[in-house]
Amino acid sequence: MGLTRDDVARLADLARIELTPDELAHLAPQIDVIVEAVAGVAEVKDDDIPPLAHPLGVVNVRRADQALPTDWQALRPVLEQDAPAWQDDRFRVPRILEEEE
Amino acid sequence: MTELTRLDAAELGRRIASREVSSREVTAACFDRIEAVDGAVRAFLTTDRERALQAADAIDTRIAAGEKLGPLAGVPIAVKDLLCYQGLPTTASSRILEGWMPPYNSTVVERLLDAGLVILGKTNLDEFALGSSTETSAFGPTHNPWALDRIPGGSGGGSAAALASFEAPLAIGTDTGGSIRQPAAVTGTVGVKPTYGAVSRYGIIAVASSLDQAGPCARNVYDTALLHDVIVGRDPRDGTSVELSGTQAVGVADMARRADVKGLRIGVVKELGGEGYQPGVEQRFREAVQVLVQAGAEVVEVSCPHFVHSLATYYLIMPAEVSSNLSRYDGMRYGLRKGGPDATTEQVMRASRGAGFGAEAKRRIILGTYALSAGYYDAYYGSAQKMRTLIARDFAVAYEVCDVLVSPTTPTTAFKLGEKVDDPLAMYMSDLCTIPVNLAGIAAGSVPCGLSPDDGLPVGFQIIAPALQDARVYQVAAALEAALDTQRGHPLLDDAPALGEAR
């Protein structure tokens, strides 16, 4: 198989990463080489082998669904400082919809 | 150079506790040293002089009042800039988080502060810990104190370089595929990746969640063990962290002090050597094994046949988890936002991520997006998780005939800055020996085993222990360190070139 430049452009699009044409030309062959190097793992076909996620077998740890106390007065200035845009104690975000043509 | 910065952490802690020296004096000496040499080394991204000196004073006051504090109270420490520490920016060495102030502390930082350690500042790393040289840092590379034109390892190159240049006696690193051990190896310092789950990941910027683990770094094994005991333990805020009481993953300092390997069975992993390994690295490794034999250990050769797949397995699992974890950087609530006033959310996300991530982060996010995409998930991520099981089973079989496994920590000594920066696969090879440990989630550390006769640069010796048997890493590392220091007549770092303080 192998990844073409168009494939990489599409993946970058799915990952919401804008690439310049130069970046794409640079990254695409590198990513293709890596994919080629790792593809061999896909040959493990044995269905009897369980997948390993947590090495000690810890799964689905649960805890009580309780809100922890939050010090809003202390938190607010940090959130405001870190926010790209802030208005009336809320994050101001860009519009979601395209403008009607 | 002031003598205080050459002392090890245990000795500093002892002198501070007995009031022979104050924590303020020690802390100030570290900042003087940072000022003198960090222009050349560039280990730190930020320093925190005022707050550190205040914290030092507070410890001095408590000791003067007769309080009994822990063995590292008042001792300065450097923290990798992947851990949240309120009051200082946490950047992960990425433009996308430049200037970001964390609203809370990581659990590791809380434990350091509770134990009275004095945080000097935040150290450089590869962007989002993705790299083996610190060269992917958006803020420029760190330089190896042994040879300033060489890499300090990565991703935790800043922490390792801070130790090797005597800027700090202790440091915190994180290890996803070798980011504690490989920098330790190439800088002649010590670093341990504890068993997965032994240290809380809460408040540590997530890279690959099923592999990430924070751990201790220092200039000798005992100091590393003391720091290990400070940071480990179950944390309800990290669901993957494990209860350690009754295991050998806590109280490791006692084992480091004992440093006895009589009767211990040491397995040399056949697959971690040979082609691609620098001759000088293999020579020092074999000599170190003989030193352990003379100290009473037994040696067996073991085979771990699936290790040949570990690099490929890692470069499927890690990018998959990276692409998921890094999806949160979208320019909405924090971090870099790009795009004009009329841009839509979609356009802002694309522009912000395009401008905010460096080349390596982009490579891995795209690779991970591919591995997780419809139609490929089972073939790639699913198969890789199965291979992970086979690699873990290789370890389990090996541990039937030995107590620990050993290998070189890295195939080569420190390479030149710039040498591999545009050849991702060559760069990934740096972590050949360390990656299997993360995939299996077990414990391992690197301890110096001399200078390579090829180039006079430090060589690291890796010790790998079964899950929750972290103490064995320290036991073997301490025995090797003691024997080699006796042979040499001094610690390895004494051979590092003096850094021009007037530079």
Side-chain angles (χ1 to χ4, degrees):
Chain A
M1 37 198 304
L3 287 182
T4 65
R5 210 150 126 174
D6 286 348
D7 293 334
V8 172
R10 160 133 182 83
L11 288 166
D13 193 51
L14 286 172
R16 306 287 185 269
I17 294 176
E18 198 169 272
L19 295 180
T20 64
D22 282 353
E23 271 186 302
L24 183 60
H26 185 72
L27 292 179
Q30 292 178 337
I31 291 167
D32 183 46
V33 167
I34 300 168
V35 166
E36 204 172 299
V38 301
V41 172
E43 282 154 28
V44 189
K45 292 237 163 43
D46 194 340
D47 290 336
D48 296 339
I49 305 164
L52 188 150
H54 191 294
L56 303 179
V58 173
V59 282
N60 295 347
V61 179
R62 294 193 170 98
R63 64 180 170 203
D65 185 17
Q66 283 170 339
L68 297 173
T70 299
D71 183 352
W72 173 245
Q73 287 312 315
L75 196 58
R76 206 201 67 93
V78 184
L79 295 181
E80 180 175 358
Q81 185 191 345
D82 285 337
W86 180 265
Q87 188 183 320
D88 303 332
D89 274 357
R90 286 169 176 79
F91 298 107
R92 190 178 168 87
V93 297
R95 63 200 173 86
I96 298 168
L97 301 174
E98 297 278 353
E99 236 161 321
E100 298 276 344
E101 289 296 318
Chain B
M1 183 190 305
T2 158
E3 185 221 349
L4 285 177
T5 58
R6 307 285 299 191
L7 292 177
D8 59 50
E11 176 65 14
L12 286 171
R14 195 190 64 72
R15 291 194 193 184
I16 291 167
S18 64
R19 301 176 68 193
E20 287 168 59
V21 63
S22 67
S23 174
R24 171 175 269 268
E25 287 170 89
V26 175
T27 304
C30 287
F31 282 115
D32 289 349
R33 176 71 181 165
I34 291 167
E35 203 160 293
V37 302
D38 209 50
V41 176
R42 304 186 73 84
F44 281 88
L45 291 176
T46 42
T47 53
D48 200 17
R49 190 184 188 106
E50 286 315 306
R51 189 162 48 148
L53 289 172
Q54 280 170 21
D57 285 344
I59 294 296
D60 288 332
T61 305
R62 288 169 66 186
I63 289 170
E67 249 189 272
K68 283 272 165 276
L69 303 174
L72 295 178
V75 178
I77 186 165
V79 175
K80 188 179 186 180
D81 200 20
L82 199 65
L83 287 89
C84 291
Y85 176 32
Q86 282 177 298
L88 278 190
T90 297
T91 69
S93 285
S94 180
R95 292 276 174 222
I96 213 160
L97 275 180
E98 192 168 7
W100 180 68
M101 299 296 279
Y104 54 86
N105 281 334
S106 55
T107 296
V108 169
V109 161
E110 288 286 337
R111 286 182 190 239
L112 296 178
L113 297 175
D114 287 349
L117 282 104
V118 175
I119 297 176
L120 297 169
K122 307 293 287 292
T123 56
N124 195 20
L125 63 149
D126 283 287
E127 183 179 13
F128 287 106
L130 307 174
S132 307
S133 68
T134 71
E135 291 168 295
T136 73
S137 167
F139 310 117
T142 298
H143 299 258
N144 191 323
W146 287 81
L148 293 171
D149 61 341
R150 291 186 183 259
I151 60 116
S155 65
S159 284
L163 297 171
S165 60
F166 296 93
E167 293 175 333
L170 297 170
I172 293 293
T174 66
D175 192 313
T176 303
S179 288
I180 287 175
R181 291 161 286 156
Q182 184 254 7
V186 300
T187 58
T189 58
V190 181
V192 171
K193 184 207 90 74
T195 299
Y196 182 84
V199 180
S200 169
R201 293 181 298 109
Y202 179 79
I204 301 177
I205 292 179
V207 180
S209 306
S210 77
L211 304 163
D212 295 344
Q213 188 66 178
C217 311
R219 285 195 291 262
N220 65 57
V221 175
Y222 186 61
D223 285 355
T224 313
L226 286 174
L227 184 55
H228 179 114
D229 285 337
V230 167
I231 60 172
V232 295
R234 161 118 179 101
D235 176 9
R237 291 184 294 189
D238 174 3
T240 61
S241 71
V242 293
E243 185 53 62
L244 299 179
S245 58
T247 72
Q248 294 287 306
V250 276
V252 298
D254 290 341
M255 207 55 135
R257 201 198 293 270
R258 228 172 297 159
D260 179 13
V261 291
K262 271 192 204 71
L264 203 76
R265 297 166 307 163
I266 291 175
V268 175
V269 184
K270 199 175 82 182
E271 284 77 8
L272 300 180
E275 201 187 329
Y277 287 70
Q278 197 176 310
V281 167
E282 295 217 277
Q283 183 186 331
R284 289 292 178 255
F285 171 72
R286 281 193 303 268
E287 290 166 4
V289 171
Q290 283 315 304
V291 166
L292 291 171
V293 170
Q294 279 154 25
E298 293 167 30
V299 175
V300 289
E301 192 187 76
V302 297
S303 175
C304 296
H306 294 96
F307 280 18
V308 294
H309 300 295
S310 53
L311 204 63
T313 304
Y314 180 78
Y315 278 96
L316 284 168
I317 290 176
M318 189 269 306
E321 296 185 8
V322 164
S323 72
S324 172
N325 276 323
L326 268 53
S327 65
R328 75 191 62 178
Y329 305 104
D330 57 8
M332 293 299 120
R333 289 160 300 167
Y334 55 86
L336 184 73
R337 179 184 289 184
K338 287 279 185 189
D342 295 328
T344 62
T345 300
E346 278 269 335
Q347 290 162 340
V348 165
M349 282 185 190
R350 280 171 219 282
S352 303
R353 291 163 64 79
F357 289 131
E360 184 62 17
K362 286 174 179 165
R363 274 192 286 266
R364 297 206 199 183
I365 292 171
I366 292 170
L367 197 58
T369 305
Y370 176 58
L372 292 177
S373 56
Y376 294 106
Y377 179 93
D378 284 341
Y380 286 139
Y381 192 73
S383 299
Q385 281 194 310
K386 288 181 177 181
M387 187 57 79
R388 232 181 135 167
T389 299
L390 296 176
I391 289 165
R393 283 181 187 170
D394 277 359
F395 276 115
V397 168
Y399 287 127
E400 284 170 13
V401 294
C402 58
D403 302 302
V404 294
L405 296 171
V406 297
S407 77
T409 309
T410 58
T412 70
T413 55
F415 43 91
K416 290 230 165 76
L417 286 161
E419 197 178 314
K420 301 183 180 178
V421 79
D422 218 24
D423 185 352
L425 275 187
M427 186 73 87
Y428 297 171
M429 296 288 181
S430 311
D431 297 328
L432 258 187
C433 313
T434 46
I435 279 173
V437 171
N438 299 80
L439 290 172
I442 58 184
S446 179
V447 62
C449 63
L451 302 178
S452 166
D454 306 329
D455 50 21
L457 292 167
V459 177
F461 186 90
Q462 180 175 231
I463 301 139
I464 310 169
L468 301 174
Q469 298 293 330
D470 304 36
R472 285 188 208 164
V473 172
Y474 290 97
Q475 178 186 0
V476 178
L480 181 62
E481 176 187 69
L484 290 176
D485 284 2
T486 305
Q487 225 175 58
R488 199 184 300 116
H490 56 259
L492 186 73
L493 271 177
D494 286 4
D495 292 334
L499 292 162
E501 298 219 346
R503 188 184 289 260

